[in-house]
Amino acid sequence: MAIFRVRTRAGVVAQVVVAIGLSVAAVASSAAALPAPTETPTQLYVASWGKDSWPGTLDRPFATPARAQQAVRARMPRMTSDLVVNLRGGTYQLKAPLRLSEAAGDSGRGGHRVIYQAYGYGTPRQERVTISGGRQIAGWRPDRRMKGLWRADVGGLETRQLYVGDRRAARLTRTGAGFPGTLKATRTGYVTTSAVPRTWRNPGDIEFVYRAGYLEGRCGVAGVSASARRTVITMDQPCWDLAQGLYGGTELLEAPHSVENSPTFAPRPGSWYLDRSRPGHHELFYFPRRGEDMRRVGVVAPVLDALVTGTGRPGRPVHDIGFHGLTFAHATWLAPSEPAGFPAAWSMYLRPGKRGDARLLTVPGTVAFRTAERITFEGNRFTHLGAQALELSENSSHNVVDGNVISDVSDGGILMGVVPPDQKGTNRGNRITNNWIHHIGAEYHAASGIWDTATRETTIAHNQVNDVPYSGILSGPGDDLRGIMHRNRILDNRVFATNQELQDGGGIYLRGEQGSSFADGAVISGNAVTDSKYGDWNVGIYTDDSTNWVTVDRNTVYDYVASIGGCSEEWGDRPVQNVRFRGNFWDDAVPEWVERREYPGAWPPANHQDPDDKGCGDPHGLSFADNTLLRARDPGPACAADTACAAVLANAGPLPAYRQRLGMP
């Protein structure tokens, strides 16, 4: 078990019990692991104007990716070259996820690959292709009962997101509990002196959202009733019990951050509500933004939880498949709407176990490959998604994610490794390079741009992660999984504007055993991590509880609440130890509530005034050599004036050849 704490300037306010120098040339050289085509590729074509009864040629293309997949499977036993499925420009609305598997014959063969790509990929004539799990919503009309709202009949639609004019809309929300009076948590929910909850329409659609530190969860309302002079709010089960167990009691639950999803709440421009009170006859309500004409604007509701999945089995991974130049868009994720809700920490949430216990699961990837090898994602866009964007897990190795853009997703960007509830596995030699990940965690804020849960020989290099609610790059498992991580490299990344909503995270956040020595531990080098001074506690390069065997070399870190540091948890044999800092540039910022040590960084001590707080202790085996202190009052200009520091900034992030393709400023 790992105990995570919500820290404030005053210290710990709540306990949360959860089981929770490689060169650029060397990075590029690992691409040699990919098979090279030996013959002219075989071409298939798909177009929105095609027919699935046609042969899939350029002039007589298939109509759907699913039909192209059937054609790939038929040709697989006779592959003598790469097989390329070219999708012509347009939006392909999937009726079901595109599911690929080794058993069904979706992998490449004989050193050849199957590639799904936008027509003209890599040329100036590349066409724009969207793989969508959404549904167009039409038939809007003004609502007669609620002024300013428009409504549309949507049958049995179930979704948690809505996109209007290609922009994410927000559910109708009230900040805080949304009513005066006291709010007291009980065994089944709340009692309050306010009568306002009795006026809520369709209370069964309402969710309470809880936020503190690095935590953000939600539970639904089962019902509202009157009792004497009080109002009783009954919460969904088992969510209510799970939340109390996860958050260590009711302190956090008695101060909800917001209440969502009721037509009773005053609408704001760009907000919506799905009325599910009549099964099979749901109604969608929307309050337009200025200038939006609901008779003309495009509205898309995501209906699929996943868009593309790939599945192998032990000893037989799905393999040698590529996705190039595509946009993956419009997927939801309905699990938080279940009675178990979303009691969550990081990108993990609780569900009841088989023996009356609880287990942690991970928010899944909308595009997810499990037990997969040599899968490539190049030049794609992931947007308007309801869960994590991309997942590579369950013994997935030698995969490449290069030159993609991930933005406007509800949870995290890229997830890979041994993900909960799994506690073992080998995920080796994956490369995450030259991607731009920004404005993720739009709905579930305890999310990271990139999360390497537990892998080995992984390279995360030349990515940019910015404008995220929690951590930029996270390396380490939720629970201590020792003996798994070895020789991982986090190199030359540009990270800024992290922790904009939640704290106790950082730009590059490490935890857990990263190896068995400096020779096979993690290397954090050449990264520029800046401009994220939000809240009371976030750390530029954060070596947190149980971090072990890490080299932090030639990075630039400034304008965080703390430049470096972490909590060394002495209890349970979980100290921070064996971390060496060499040749870095930092402002050595330390928050006011953390006493400075004789060595750099913010290392919170134990709270000796609280006997229930096991707190932090002294890190072990830290070493510092040739680091440069930047002027605290103006570290940015100080770095720019230092040739070596400025070189780190200039080299960090996607390589120049990628920046224009990614649409970066």
Side-chain angles (χ1 to χ4, degrees):
M1 301 289 286
I3 296 184
F4 293 83
R5 291 175 174 77
V6 182
R7 298 184 181 91
T8 69
R9 187 181 306 240
V12 176
V13 299
Q15 287 191 343
V16 183
V17 183
V18 290
I20 300 196
L22 192 64
S23 69
V24 173
V27 172
S29 69
S30 64
L34 297 174
T38 58
E39 303 287 346
T40 301
T42 300
Q43 308 284 345
L44 294 171
Y45 298 87
V46 182
S48 57
W49 47 267
K51 295 182 180 180
D52 280 347
S53 60
W54 286 354
T57 59
L58 179 59
D59 57 340
R60 300 183 70 199
F62 299 131
T64 64
R67 176 63 182 90
Q69 180 189 29
Q70 294 176 1
V72 167
R73 290 174 174 175
R75 288 164 171 76
M76 195 64 61
R78 304 183 302 278
M79 281 189 74
T80 58
S81 65
D82 285 357
L83 184 52
V84 179
V85 177
N86 298 276
L87 288 90
R88 301 301 304 267
T91 297
Y92 296 85
Q93 292 184 328
L94 302 181
K95 295 181 180 179
L98 190 66
R99 302 190 187 278
L100 295 83
S101 73
E102 170 64 14
D106 290 302
S107 297
R109 290 290 185 273
H112 307 295
R113 295 184 294 164
V114 177
I115 299 172
Y116 294 83
Q117 70 177 26
Y119 180 77
Y121 175 69
T123 75
R125 296 184 178 181
Q126 177 178 328
E127 298 182 359
R128 298 182 63 177
V129 176
T130 299
I131 306 297
S132 173
R135 165 184 164 188
Q136 296 284 338
I137 305 297
W140 292 93
R141 63 193 185 278
D143 184 70
R144 296 178 179 177
R145 295 174 298 173
M146 293 179 284
K147 184 179 180 181
L149 286 172
W150 288 63
R151 67 195 297 170
D153 299 321
V154 292
L157 174 71
E158 296 283 358
T159 190
R160 292 183 61 88
Q161 292 81 30
L162 189 71
Y163 300 93
V164 181
D166 204 36
R167 296 168 62 185
R168 180 182 289 252
R171 298 203 298 180
L172 292 176
T173 301
R174 272 184 166 173
T175 302
F179 50 82
T182 61
L183 185 67
K184 177 68 176 176
T186 69
R187 184 176 56 84
T188 59
Y190 298 102
V191 293
T192 176
T193 56
S194 174
V196 170
R198 304 180 205 175
T199 68
W200 290 345
R201 288 179 52 196
N202 304 337
D205 290 336
I206 292 175
E207 290 177 358
F208 278 54
V209 180
Y210 310 101
R211 180 186 298 180
Y214 58 85
L215 307 172
E216 188 179 72
R218 51 186 69 218
C219 275
V221 173
V224 177
S225 60
S227 174
R229 296 182 179 179
R230 302 182 303 170
T231 300
V232 177
I233 303 172
T234 303
M235 301 298 288
D236 280 343
Q237 290 286 16
C239 186
W240 189 242
D241 287 345
L242 292 171
Q244 291 183 71
L246 179 61
Y247 301 142
T250 61
E251 182 178 357
L252 173 60
L253 302 177
E254 289 183 339
H257 175 268
S258 59
V259 181
E260 291 185 1
N261 207 38
S262 171
T264 310
F265 302 157
R268 299 176 182 176
S271 60
W272 66 282
Y273 166 70
L274 178 63
D275 187 338
R276 303 162 58 247
S277 59
R278 293 192 302 151
H281 300 277
H282 298 172
E283 292 181 308
L284 194 58
F285 294 85
Y286 179 72
F287 192 79
R289 302 179 182 97
R290 178 175 294 183
E292 284 181 336
D293 184 345
M294 298 308 295
R295 297 181 181 89
R296 293 180 175 83
V297 69
V299 180
V300 179
V303 294
L304 298 183
D305 274 19
L307 297 180
V308 179
T309 64
T311 307
R313 55 192 182 192
R316 293 194 62 186
V318 60
H319 60 90
D320 296 298
I321 303 172
F323 299 89
H324 302 166
L326 307 174
T327 294
F328 300 97
H330 306 135
T332 189
W333 182 55
L334 297 176
S337 297
E338 298 170 358
F342 189 66
W346 287 5
S347 291
M348 300 181 292
Y349 64 103
L350 277 181
R351 281 294 183 268
K354 295 181 179 179
R355 299 182 178 89
D357 55 351
R359 59 177 184 152
L360 278 166
L361 304 177
T362 311
V363 177
T366 303
V367 177
F369 277 74
R370 303 175 178 108
T371 314
E373 293 187 0
R374 297 184 300 280
I375 309 299
T376 62
F377 289 91
E378 297 179 359
N380 304 290
R381 293 181 179 268
F382 298 78
T383 189
H384 301 343
L385 304 176
Q388 304 213 56
L390 176 62
E391 175 185 343
L392 300 166
S393 63
E394 296 180 17
N395 301 297
S396 291
S397 297
H398 308 298
N399 303 295
V400 175
V401 182
D402 184 63
N404 304 277
V405 177
I406 301 175
S407 65
D408 189 31
V409 298
S410 291
D411 199 85
I414 299 172
L415 166 70
M416 60 179 168
V418 180
V419 305
D422 293 344
Q423 294 192 341
K424 60 182 180 179
T426 300
N427 301 266
R428 180 196 304 268
N430 297 300
R431 292 196 304 121
I432 313 297
T433 54
N434 294 294
N435 302 286
W436 184 20
I437 302 168
H438 63 100
H439 296 93
I440 55 92
E443 188 173 356
Y444 312 116
H445 295 106
S448 300
I450 301 172
W451 184 11
D452 175 6
T453 63
T455 67
R456 59 195 311 165
E457 298 161 19
T458 295
T459 298
I460 302 173
H462 284 289
N463 303 282
Q464 179 165 305
V465 182
N466 64 273
D467 292 280
V468 298
Y470 186 52
S471 292
I473 299 173
L474 169 59
S475 176
D479 197 6
D480 282 342
L481 301 178
R482 302 186 180 187
I484 294 180
M485 303 186 79
H486 298 279
R487 294 181 294 280
N488 293 329
R489 301 291 183 262
I490 301 177
L491 310 173
D492 306 314
N493 299 282
R494 184 72 177 97
V495 182
F496 62 93
T498 70
N499 301 100
Q500 292 187 320
E501 298 286 346
L502 304 182
Q503 56 182 324
D504 201 359
I508 298 175
Y509 182 6
L510 297 98
R511 67 178 312 276
E513 183 182 85
Q514 299 279 331
S516 57
S517 67
F518 285 123
D520 81 339
V523 174
I524 316 302
S525 180
N527 304 281
V529 185
T530 69
D531 303 295
S532 302
K533 197 169 285 187
Y534 303 102
D536 290 321
W537 179 242
N538 64 45
V539 185
I541 296 180
Y542 194 167
T543 49
D544 203 14
D545 44 21
S546 69
T547 295
N548 196 5
W549 300 116
V550 177
T551 297
V552 181
D553 179 67
R554 294 181 298 107
N555 303 278
T556 292
V557 189
Y558 59 80
D559 276 340
Y560 267 76
V561 174
S563 296
I564 62 170
C567 176
S568 181
E569 296 187 349
E570 297 299 291
W571 54 272
D573 188 27
R574 306 180 70 252
V576 172
Q577 55 187 332
N578 301 314
V579 183
R580 57 187 182 185
F581 298 88
R582 307 183 307 193
N584 300 282
F585 302 86
W586 54 44
D587 59 3
D588 195 25
V590 174
E592 294 178 1
W593 58 272
V594 175
E595 183 178 351
R596 282 192 176 274
R597 307 293 187 104
E598 65 274 16
Y599 44 85
W603 308 92
N607 184 358
H608 298 294
Q609 296 179 348
D610 184 354
D612 295 325
D613 174 21
K614 297 177 181 179
C616 309
D618 295 330
H620 303 269
L622 302 186
S623 65
F624 299 86
D626 302 320
N627 301 291
T628 299
L629 181 64
L630 302 172
R631 293 190 303 268
R633 65 181 181 275
D634 55 356
C639 179
D642 185 300
T643 302
C645 186
V648 174
L649 278 171
N651 186 58
L655 293 169
Y658 286 83
R659 296 185 66 87
Q660 183 175 0
R661 281 180 274 165
L662 294 171
M664 302 183 71

